[in-house]
Amino acid sequence: GRNTVRGPGTQQINMSLSKRFPINRARVEFRAEIYNLLNHNNFGNPDLNISNVTVGTITTADDGRVAQFGLRLAW
């Protein structure tokens, strides 16, 4: 029937920190962004193609923790 197979849920916490530093007439901003902060396993949905040998098997997962840093100069 419809919706008889459900995939696992996802748990993801994202965080962003930034700090601005004034320098004379300019401004520098440092920024750090972290995705999936707690590094939870987020698995994909199971294979639903019944003609495949991997039917019902989860073969994919999302990325783990990813960090991104940036520096911006504004004047």
Side-chain angles (χ1 to χ4, degrees):
R2 185 175 177 198
N3 295 329
T4 57
V5 178
R6 295 185 184 178
T10 59
Q11 299 176 357
Q12 187 165 347
I13 297 175
N14 301 328
M15 184 176 78
S16 175
L17 299 171
S18 66
K19 176 70 177 172
R20 292 182 182 171
F21 302 97
I23 301 175
N24 294 336
R25 298 166 70 186
R27 182 178 70 232
V28 175
E29 180 181 1
F30 174 75
R31 186 172 183 90
E33 298 173 345
I34 303 172
Y35 303 100
N36 196 5
L37 178 67
L38 300 178
N39 204 23
H40 284 224
N41 294 326
N42 292 316
F43 296 110
N45 290 324
D47 186 9
L48 300 178
N49 187 355
I50 60 173
S51 63
N52 233 346
V53 296
T54 59
V55 65
T57 305
I58 296 174
T59 58
T60 60
D62 291 342
D63 292 331
R65 182 182 301 125
V66 177
Q68 174 177 306
F69 302 98
L71 193 62
R72 178 180 173 188
L73 174 64
W75 70 90

